[in-house]
Amino acid sequence: MKNKWIALLACMVTFIPFSAIQAKAPKVGDYVGEALATDIAAYVNGAPIPSMNIEGYTAVTAEDLRSYGFDVAWSPTSRSLVIEPAAQKVQPVVKPNPAADRPIGTKFKDVLYTDIRTYYGDKPIPSYNIDGQTAIRLNDLAPFGTVDWTPEKRTISFQASPPPAKPANPLRQAGATLTVSSEKDINIKLQFTDDGEYQDGTKVGFPRNGLPFFQLAHFADQLGYTITTDGTNVTVSSGLYAFRLHPDSQEVELYWGDSWVKSYQLVFPPHRADDSLYLYSLDMGRLFGYTGTWNQEQRTLDVRYESYAVSDYGLPIKVDGETATVKAAATLPSDMPFGSAGELRLSLDNSHTFGNGGSGAFGQPINQNAVVWAQAPIPLALGDNNITARLSSGERILYLAHYNVQTSFADYPLQVDLLSFSLDQSKQGYLTTDATNFTLTGKASGRFYISTTKWKLGSPPTDSSPMAVNVDENGAFQMPLSLEQGKGLYKVDVLTTVATPRGSLGYLDAGHFYVNLLSDGQ
């Protein structure tokens, strides 16, 4: 009887599914816990920093450390975040603690599972995904400095040890926000004939109306991309970059991660032949971001596809002034075909300003591992700015990031290219007032004009006719201002005149300053 029960038990165990007794492995983005509000005050390098409670430990956002004397570099291709003490000292910019107003111990944000590897220098440390940012526990930084917990004051602080003696990152010292480096290149030689294009004897394209069309599946395979279809649309992807096309449409959708970025209009519609999809050669090159060098004598096209690694060091969270400049540095091999680096572009967008775009192209490397730069200014609005930066090769997206930047204009300088121009009310280019109508006074070398416009979120400025401001024999002027469009930011342009070929007066911009109407006063 005993043996019978043992046999029955063995059968029962045998038929229990393995999945039922094995803990399910978490996937990226799965909920794994909660970050809680805390009354513990956290400090990094002597300055207060927003904090939260994770698993009973005080944690901070790794990206915030950029304002506390650290370089924090995010690399999407390796899915790694590297924290290092910065070579240059910075004045900490303290952000408001978003969890401060919540009751202690209540949920602040979800903690999600992440496959991102976080390092302090070259040493791995635990990390967590908090709303798309990386949280780390201060206690885990103890090997890299001093962590002090003062229970009676309920404070915890981390003081970083001096960085090890090693050459400073010259690109960071030169102000690079984004760095790009070539990891590898793929080269394809295509032989053009009267009946089509061949690679190593395999036909990969054909002429259509005298223009070359290349097989999409072949190029995707050669360049390391994956093709999937939902029965209608075709998606071609590698890493975070993907493009989706419809065989009957010239519009292609470009994606970064799972997010739509933009549309690209094909020069010619896709063509289907022999159960394969073909694209016009120029469209193929734009979507994959490769360059081609044509040899007319041999009728060959040398295709070069470059794989890039990108590191993002982030933008400052606070900028004093009306513009921010994003600089990108690319380390490229010298054997890149001439003009290939020109396919690399940095594009910027600020959703809070009108005329918000900016872009810059990279130069051509002149020696091995040469560094070439692209930079672009982006206009800022008073207050919060949502800036998107995109690195591209052709239409291929190499990297896309979103930054929140705040600006106050409080230290904006008064820069007017007019001899002896000054304002009695301020030496800065930013003034505040509660009065809708008031008069500014100052000095200038001669008569000038002003044009006052109200700044509106994401909208063009309203037109304003120039108004003359006269200067007396002592160089003094009175400048009446009327801020009739309600409270907010006004831009006052200072203009000089110039004669046009037709004899009428034209206006030249000599500079500007800002007036912030704080209330709908009188």
Side-chain angles (χ1 to χ4, degrees):
M1 185 68 177
K2 181 178 179 181
N3 290 338
K4 179 179 178 181
W5 281 108
I6 292 175
L8 179 60
L9 180 62
C11 291
M12 293 172 63
V13 171
T14 302
F15 287 99
I16 294 176
F18 181 72
S19 59
I21 60 175
Q22 182 188 40
K24 184 179 179 181
K27 302 188 299 294
V28 173
D30 281 354
Y31 169 90
V32 294
E34 294 180 350
L36 308 178
T38 179
D39 63 338
I40 295 173
Y43 296 82
V44 169
N45 288 343
I49 186 172
S51 63
M52 67 198 88
N53 182 312
I54 297 179
E55 298 178 344
Y57 292 90
T58 302
V60 300
T61 302
E63 289 82 357
D64 285 349
L65 295 178
R66 290 170 175 151
S67 299
Y68 292 80
F70 296 87
D71 280 336
V72 180
W74 158 241
S75 300
T77 50
S78 62
R79 294 191 61 74
S80 64
L81 192 80
V82 179
I83 305 166
E84 291 184 306
Q88 295 174 321
K89 298 296 182 182
V90 298
Q91 182 68 28
V93 178
V94 181
K95 294 173 59 178
N97 191 344
D101 296 332
R102 297 174 182 266
I104 299 169
T106 59
K107 176 182 173 180
F108 171 49
K109 289 182 179 178
D110 288 336
V111 178
L112 306 180
Y113 178 76
T114 179
D115 62 349
I116 294 171
R117 295 168 294 170
T118 302
Y119 299 86
Y120 191 102
D122 58 357
K123 306 297 183 184
I125 59 174
S127 63
Y128 308 84
N129 181 337
I130 307 291
D131 198 19
Q133 292 189 305
T134 304
I136 58 174
R137 301 180 301 195
L138 287 181
N139 285 62
D140 292 324
L141 301 182
F144 316 109
T146 303
V147 176
D148 286 325
W149 160 243
T150 308
E152 60 273 15
K153 294 183 178 179
R154 296 191 64 74
T155 63
I156 187 170
S157 63
F158 169 65
Q159 184 66 44
S161 297
K166 65 176 185 178
N169 184 333
L171 303 183
R172 285 293 294 143
Q173 286 189 311
T177 297
L178 300 165
T179 62
V180 186
S181 59
S182 175
E183 287 192 311
K184 68 174 183 178
D185 57 87
I186 299 174
N187 295 279
I188 301 172
K189 182 179 285 291
L190 298 178
Q191 180 66 59
F192 280 58
T193 68
D194 292 340
D195 72 325
E197 292 76 50
Y198 292 81
Q199 180 187 353
D200 298 329
T202 300
K203 189 174 183 178
V204 298
F206 68 93
R208 179 175 170 81
N209 298 325
L211 298 173
F213 277 67
F214 296 157
Q215 187 185 56
L216 178 60
H218 178 82
F219 274 76
D221 178 69
Q222 291 287 296
L223 302 178
Y225 285 69
T226 301
I227 294 183
T228 58
T229 180
D230 59 8
T232 303
N233 299 301
V234 176
T235 300
V236 183
S237 60
S238 177
L240 294 171
Y241 170 61
F243 61 88
R244 181 176 299 162
L245 54 86
H246 189 285
D248 298 323
S249 173
Q250 286 181 244
E251 188 170 74
V252 179
E253 308 294 338
L254 306 184
Y255 292 83
W256 179 255
D258 295 325
S259 299
W260 177 89
V261 176
K262 59 175 290 191
S263 296
Y264 169 72
Q265 195 75 11
L266 297 173
V267 178
F268 295 106
H271 181 72
R272 185 175 292 278
D274 303 325
D275 292 327
S276 294
L277 206 59
Y278 291 79
L279 296 181
Y280 176 46
S281 60
L282 293 183
D283 289 326
M284 190 81 82
R286 297 295 297 171
L287 291 171
F288 283 110
Y290 63 69
T291 56
T293 304
W294 172 251
N295 186 313
Q296 179 63 36
E297 182 178 349
Q298 299 180 6
R299 296 187 68 191
T300 59
L301 181 70
D302 290 315
V303 170
R304 172 144 174 170
Y305 177 91
E306 209 80 29
S307 293
Y308 297 99
V310 178
S311 292
D312 178 7
Y313 290 88
L315 285 179
I317 62 172
K318 185 177 181 182
V319 175
D320 292 322
E322 59 183 356
T323 60
T325 297
V326 178
K327 299 174 68 176
T331 305
L332 304 175
S334 61
D335 62 345
M336 289 185 70
F338 185 80
S340 297
E343 291 294 314
L344 285 173
R345 294 197 68 84
L346 167 66
S347 302
L348 303 175
D349 180 85
N350 184 356
S351 62
H352 281 193
T353 62
F354 180 79
N356 54 4
S359 65
F362 290 82
Q364 180 71 23
I366 58 175
N367 52 49
Q368 184 65 24
N369 295 324
V371 176
V372 293
W373 289 83
Q375 64 181 42
I378 186 76
L380 300 177
L382 181 63
D384 289 333
N385 295 264
N386 296 322
I387 296 175
T388 300
R390 185 174 75 246
L391 283 170
S392 304
S393 176
E395 297 297 330
R396 172 171 46 125
I397 301 170
L398 306 178
Y399 182 64
L400 185 141
H402 303 283
Y403 309 102
N404 183 265
V405 177
Q406 293 182 328
T407 183
S408 67
F409 288 14
D411 296 323
Y412 184 72
L414 180 62
Q415 295 178 328
V416 175
D417 190 16
L418 189 64
L419 188 63
S420 304
F421 184 90
S422 65
L423 294 173
D424 295 333
Q425 287 76 11
S426 176
K427 296 185 181 300
Q428 301 296 115
Y430 176 77
L431 301 86
T432 60
T433 182
D434 289 310
T436 302
N437 296 282
F438 64 102
T439 298
L440 293 177
T441 58
K443 294 289 185 70
S445 59
R447 187 186 195 192
F448 60 93
Y449 292 76
I450 62 169
S451 175
T452 305
T453 55
K454 172 76 179 297
W455 185 91
K456 294 181 180 179
L457 181 66
S459 300
T462 54
D463 292 332
S464 174
S465 299
M467 181 185 73
V469 178
N470 295 312
V471 176
D472 66 19
E473 64 274 9
N474 297 317
F477 64 78
Q478 292 189 345
M479 182 195 303
L481 291 179
S482 181
L483 313 178
E484 300 288 353
Q485 298 183 49
K487 66 180 181 180
L489 188 67
Y490 291 77
K491 181 182 178 184
V492 181
D493 288 298
V494 179
L495 310 169
T496 58
T497 58
V498 61
T500 67
R502 294 187 177 183
S504 60
L505 285 180
Y507 296 98
L508 294 177
D509 183 11
H512 58 266
F513 59 90
Y514 292 94
V515 179
N516 192 5
L517 180 60
L518 302 178
S519 62
D520 294 318
Q522 299 297 322

